């Protein structure tokens, strides 16, 4: 069913800013764009003449490349700049870097930064649209949108599903955006992980904190394992990765508690054998590569909607 909707957002800073109708509209738009990537000529003229800059201050494989592919498939001109190759290494502030990029009149800047709130700061200082490609432990909105799209594709709906998110919830921007997104769309979200990696306020976000992974996964329709983000832990918050794998790793025995048709998700990159058993990562219930495929479609939809294509 097609949804009529006016998408009025100029920036995509987090799913907290999007209404359920906005999310549904992005998913519907992404579903319609997915077919373009199946064609032999994978290009449409929709964003011809638009300029998109990827400004990545942290490493990325999936997000950066899929935003670039998405923009190129819509005929926008794309440029990549990373912190290592920019004047940030000479001491230039992020806002100064952004203002200089803005002086070249881009239409959209996609930013990944280790500091929560960096995309919002950027949006306050420049005229171009800003998309948050992951800021610190805050939000990763395009990841949650591609996760929602993947679940809807496999389950036919989101409302009423039981979604278990397992691992380092405190440091995971993916977990935060997914808790917001799945609860807004009517799913029941449960989280589990080491007590040191579960932030306060989970109930206020609409999710349920389960004492064990088994409790979270029981009867779940979707099981999402998260990467342990050692780079964001200021102090060691785990006794060892081996112990983490024993108590919190998703294994065939854990998955046996989920619904028989439950799907396994992971935002990547995977620490194989720690948060997820390699046989499950590569098995028939895994939709991990579908998430990556849908990432291109979701990012095409976001670029289209914020750069005036919807008009
Ligand atoms: N899921 C995700 O953000 O992956 P990258 O760090 O490779 O972009």
């Amino acid at each position: 069913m097609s949804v009529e909707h006016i998408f009025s957002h100029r920036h995509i800073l987090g799913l907290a800013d999007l209404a359920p109708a906005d999310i549904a509209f992005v998913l519907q738009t992404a579903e319609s764009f997915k077919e373009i990537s199946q064609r032999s000529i994978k290009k449409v003229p929709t964003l011809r003449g638009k300029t998109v800059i990827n400004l990545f201050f942290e490493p990325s494989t999936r997000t950066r490349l899929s935003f670039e592919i998405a923009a190129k498939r819509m005929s926008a001109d794309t440029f990549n700049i990373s912190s290592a190759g920019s004047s940030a290494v000479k001491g230039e502030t992020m806002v100064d870097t952004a203002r200089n990029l803005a002086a070249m009149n881009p239409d959209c800047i996609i930013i990944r930064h280790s500091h929560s709130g960096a995309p919002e700061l950027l949006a306050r200082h420049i005229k171009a649209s800003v998309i948050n490609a992951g800021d610190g432990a805050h939000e990763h909105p395009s990841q949650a949108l591609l996760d929602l799209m993947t679940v809807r594709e496999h389950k036919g709906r989101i409302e009423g599903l039981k979604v278990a998110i397992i691992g380092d919830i405190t440091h995971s921007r993916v977990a935060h955006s997914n808790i917001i997104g799945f609860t807004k769309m009517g799913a029941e979200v449960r989280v589990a992980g080491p007590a040191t990696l579960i932030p306060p306020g989970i109930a206020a976000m609409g999710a349920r904190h389960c004492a064990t992974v088994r409790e979270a996964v029981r009867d779940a329709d979707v099981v999402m394992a998260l990467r342990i983000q050692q780079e964001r832990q200021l102090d060691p918050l785990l006794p060892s990765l081996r112990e983490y794998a024993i108590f919190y790793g998703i294994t065939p025995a854990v998955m046996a508690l989920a619904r028989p048709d439950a799907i396994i998700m992971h935002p990547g990159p995977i620490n194989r054998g720690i948060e997820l058993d390699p046989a499950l990562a590569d098995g028939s219930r895994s939709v991990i590569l579908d998430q990556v495929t849908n990432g291109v479609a979701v990012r095409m939809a976001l670029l289209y909607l914020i750069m005036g294509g919807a008009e």
Side-chain angles (χ1 to χ4, degrees), residues 54-67 80-85 110-115 132-136 139-140 143 173-174 227 229-232 267-269 299:
N54 268 326
L55 177 59
F56 275 60
F57 289 93
E58 275 192 339
S60 168
T61 298
R62 284 147 285 264
T63 311
R64 188 165 108 164
L65 189 59
S66 62
F67 265 120
N80 291 311
I81 181 160
S82 64
S83 52
I110 298 158
I111 177 170
R112 170 169 288 192
H113 204 285
S114 57
H115 287 285
N132 177 4
D135 60 332
E139 278 224 40
H140 192 346
Q143 177 70 44
R173 52 200 179 204
V174 175
R227 182 174 71 85
Q229 310 212 6
Q230 295 190 82
E231 74 275 21
R232 290 190 215 288
R299 287 159 181 141

Side-chain angles (χ1 to χ4, degrees), residues 122-156:
L122 193 63
R124 278 197 255 127
H125 285 86
I126 63 169
K127 196 162 60 84
S129 289
V130 174
I131 299 181
N132 177 4
D135 60 332
H138 174 226
E139 278 224 40
H140 192 346
S142 61
Q143 177 70 44
L145 289 164
L146 71 89
D147 291 339
L148 287 161
M149 179 179 176
T150 306
V151 169
R152 195 157 90 159
E153 197 172 75
H154 283 270
K155 296 287 165 198

